[in-house]
Amino acid sequence: MRRIFLKGWRPVSVLILLFVVWEISSRIFDIPVWLLPPPSQVWVEIFASWPNYSSHLASTVRLSVAGFLIGCSTGLAVAVCLHLVPKLRETLYPLMILSQNIPIIVLAPLLVIWFGFGLAPKLIIITLVCFFPVTIAALDGFRQTGSDMMHYMKMAGATTQQIFWKLEWPHAMPSVFSGLKIAATYSVMGAVISEWLGAKEGIGVYMTLASSSFRTTQVFVAIFLIMVLSLLFFGAIVFLEKRMIRWKETGEEERNA
Amino acid sequence: MPELAIDRLSKSFDGKMVLKDVTFHIEPDEFVSILGPSGSGKSTLFHLIGGISQPDEGEISLDGERINGKKGSISYMPQSPALFPWRTILQNVLLGAEIAGKKDLPAAVAMLEKAGLKEYESAYPHQLSGGMQQRAAFIRSLLSPQPLICLDEPFSALDEFTRSEMQQWLLSIWMEHRRSILFITHNIEEALFLSDRIIILSDKPANVKAEFDIPFPRPRDESIVLTEEFLTYKKAVYNELKADSGA
């Protein structure tokens, strides 16, 4: 607890300072609320309109979790395939990078044309933004296996399968988690973007409605929700990582001590 | 019948001959060291015995069976411990047996206790000192089911004190759990202290140049390294190695 306080006081005070400056300047300069609402008003709105957005929030959470799970499993599966079949990697790697160069904003309407307004195009968008960091991270993890350990495995007569499950897979876990962390935050963003296209509910819908009617305070509420959601997802992955990769975490703690 | 028989083994890389007609054998439960200048193809020899690469010519046989290019027929301890950081020491020492499909947990626990690693059973490798890690790596190769253990300069990264401690330890464990051992080193004293027999390799291309039988009785005490006889052997081996670089 003490450590969190010691490490955290700087960013927290910067954040508080930012809010204070924002609050004061919006009062001094008398900025209209539809242009830039003061943080105090956003804060009040967060609690006041909870019944309005709770269903939207739930819908976005469901969508992002589903998309995240699909995207990450796809990412891992792709990474394993590409790693185990080097020819496949050579063939598909450039294509994978290209898939990331298409702006999602451009792709999204196309997906709607092809798949309609249902769940499918939304999940595809989230999958597209989630799978890439996971695949790249996992591929790097698989490839950067320690040469000493690899040499030992080969001398000991390990089969390709044994090398993969006993060496490459556990070795890649820390980098897979780095990928998962990026994907976790992307998944919320992907979900919101996909909701802009047309959905019945979701934070994206709530945001579009608010901005088109100049209820800027609610737009800020939506931004706040997206941030909190991303942080929660991120935190969940960090928690999982600490539970699963204990061998590495203890090492770092000892070095810090 | 010898445990390991190497018969006229040759190997070249890019037209450069690394091993040339290397012939030697190891008797069951014998401790044989290979001594040679660095870069003399000792590691290549291990790769061939380990089956990672194929010899150009010659035969390698283990217990009378030809093992050219056959992986997993020997147990191996590399220069660096190469313990897996995500496995506890107990899981690590079981790895060799696990790969061969013959896991014996009680034997591993008992062996760790004998080796003085009992308290580290559930520790991760990074929590151990370099010497302790090497001990675990040796236990790992001892617990593998293969009849021959190949050690590739296992103590070269350790400091002098730890090194002599480790040599003593290695001998005591080996006396209890006899195996055939092929030990590669570039340290004359280490080879003399540990081995029944020393094989000296010449410089490129490597060839068996001389063999010394080391008659010191076992169990050996550290003090023998200071005896007249030991020094005489050391001189003889040194001259043999030296003659090579002059040629």
Side-chain angles (χ1 to χ4, degrees):
Chain A
M1 205 53 215
R2 201 179 131 76
R3 225 186 57 184
I4 294 173
F5 178 75
L6 280 176
K7 265 180 142 176
W9 73 271
R10 263 179 265 253
V12 168
S13 40
V14 166
L15 211 63
I16 291 173
L17 189 72
L18 184 80
F19 283 135
V20 168
V21 170
W22 178 2
E23 181 77 38
I24 292 173
S25 49
S26 64
R27 278 168 199 235
I28 292 178
F29 301 113
D30 209 13
I31 301 171
V33 172
W34 59 265
L35 205 60
L36 181 69
S40 58
Q41 208 161 341
V42 176
W43 188 247
V44 170
E45 185 74 26
I46 287 170
F47 296 101
S49 53
W50 163 258
N52 295 338
Y53 65 69
S54 58
S55 67
H56 290 297
L57 186 63
S59 153
T60 303
V61 169
R62 272 197 303 273
L63 185 61
S64 359
V65 169
F68 175 74
L69 290 179
I70 297 174
C72 291
S73 352
T74 316
L76 270 182
V78 169
V80 171
C81 290
L82 295 196
H83 176 70
L84 292 180
V85 190
K87 283 225 172 69
L88 212 60
R89 186 178 59 219
E90 284 161 31
T91 320
L92 293 183
Y93 202 86
L95 204 71
M96 227 171 60
I97 294 170
L98 276 180
S99 82
Q100 295 302 303
N101 293 339
I102 309 166
I104 290 292
I105 292 290
V106 177
L107 193 65
L110 275 178
L111 287 171
V112 172
I113 294 172
W114 296 332
F115 300 101
F117 285 101
L119 200 60
K122 299 187 180 68
L123 288 179
I124 291 174
I125 287 175
I126 306 173
T127 303
L128 265 176
V129 293
C130 280
F131 98 97
F132 187 72
V134 176
T135 304
I136 297 295
L139 272 179
D140 277 353
F142 291 147
R143 289 180 67 172
Q144 284 161 3
T145 316
S147 60
D148 288 339
M149 290 185 260
M150 186 56 107
H151 188 214
Y152 173 79
M153 286 302 267
K154 283 188 174 154
M155 284 296 270
T159 58
T160 315
Q161 220 185 350
Q162 283 174 327
I163 288 180
F164 182 75
W165 286 114
K166 291 187 196 302
L167 177 58
E168 288 168 329
W169 177 263
H171 184 270
M173 271 307 117
S175 42
V176 166
F177 269 103
S178 315
L180 288 181
K181 282 184 223 165
I182 301 174
T185 48
Y186 279 14
S187 71
V188 180
M189 224 160 59
V192 171
I193 291 176
S194 74
E195 282 163 355
W196 280 347
L197 302 174
K200 281 193 222 77
E201 47 181 8
I203 298 295
V205 177
Y206 179 76
M207 201 178 198
T208 332
L209 288 177
S211 71
S212 59
S213 52
F214 287 95
R215 277 179 299 201
T216 317
T217 319
Q218 284 181 9
V219 176
F220 274 93
V221 170
I223 292 173
F224 174 79
L225 291 177
I226 292 167
M227 275 158 63
V228 168
L229 216 53
S230 299
L231 276 178
L232 276 180
F233 276 29
F234 190 84
I237 301 297
V238 171
F239 177 75
L240 251 181
E241 183 186 23
K242 287 206 166 159
R243 289 297 297 276
M244 284 183 67
I245 312 183
R246 279 204 292 257
W247 52 274
K248 191 152 191 177
E249 194 229 3
T250 46
E252 271 164 15
E253 260 175 19
E254 258 171 33
R255 241 169 284 142
N256 289 342
Chain B
M1 186 168 61
E3 189 80 64
L4 176 81
I6 306 275
D7 190 27
R8 295 191 304 276
L9 206 61
S10 297
K11 176 81 181 171
S12 30
F13 288 111
D14 306 324
K16 255 176 115 179
M17 207 163 216
V18 182
L19 298 179
K20 191 184 172 215
D21 284 338
V22 175
T23 302
F24 68 90
H25 70 277
I26 298 173
E27 295 294 334
D29 294 346
E30 196 182 19
F31 197 128
V32 176
S33 287
I34 290 190
L35 204 57
S38 27
S40 63
K42 289 176 293 188
S43 299
T44 309
L45 185 62
F46 262 15
H47 288 179
L48 291 175
I49 298 173
I52 288 185
S53 50
Q54 286 269 8
D56 298 338
E57 273 170 60
E59 292 269 328
I60 309 164
S61 48
L62 190 73
D63 276 333
E65 192 194 339
R66 188 170 183 270
I67 56 159
N68 285 21
K70 216 176 126 197
K71 283 182 210 160
S73 17
I74 55 145
S75 170
Y76 174 67
M77 174 177 174
Q79 199 164 350
S80 64
L83 298 173
F84 289 22
W86 50 88
R87 285 176 167 243
T88 62
I89 294 302
L90 182 62
Q91 291 169 331
N92 256 301
V93 298
L94 278 166
L95 181 65
E98 212 176 292
I99 291 169
K102 291 171 190 156
K103 210 161 134 180
D104 188 354
L105 192 65
V109 173
M111 186 74 90
L112 278 180
E113 186 156 15
K114 255 183 224 155
L117 287 165
K118 175 90 179 125
E119 51 185 312
Y120 298 113
E121 217 175 78
S122 49
Y124 288 101
H126 68 81
Q127 295 166 316
L128 271 64
S129 67
M132 286 293 174
Q133 290 187 15
Q134 283 295 21
R135 286 185 193 204
F138 181 68
I139 297 296
R140 176 176 65 187
S141 51
L142 207 54
L143 286 170
S144 305
Q146 295 89 343
L148 175 76
I149 302 180
C150 291
L151 296 98
D152 188 359
E153 302 190 11
F155 306 143
S156 59
L158 301 175
D159 63 86
E160 199 62 40
F161 293 107
T162 320
R163 177 193 276 255
S164 80
E165 207 178 291
M166 286 295 291
Q167 291 165 355
Q168 293 266 8
W169 175 86
L170 178 69
L171 281 187
S172 69
I173 289 278
W174 178 70
M175 290 297 282
E176 272 184 62
H177 304 270
R178 291 296 280 256
R179 289 288 190 87
S180 315
I181 288 190
L182 179 61
F183 191 96
I184 285 189
T185 179
H186 53 237
N187 186 320
I188 300 175
E189 230 168 84
E190 183 170 84
L192 280 170
F193 181 65
L194 295 173
S195 336
D196 295 319
R197 202 144 50 85
I198 296 180
I199 292 165
I200 294 179
L201 287 185
S202 61
D203 210 353
K204 294 160 210 157
N207 185 256
V208 176
K209 224 169 72 160
E211 265 190 53
F212 289 89
D213 278 311
I214 313 299
F216 299 116
R218 292 182 192 275
R220 290 177 185 173
D221 189 75
E222 213 180 343
S223 59
I224 65 163
V225 301
L226 297 172
T227 58
E228 197 66 41
E229 203 186 354
F230 193 91
L231 289 176
T232 318
Y233 270 109
K234 193 174 167 179
K235 221 177 261 173
V237 171
Y238 179 78
N239 284 336
E240 197 63 56
L241 274 171
K242 189 87 174 172
D244 183 65
S245 52

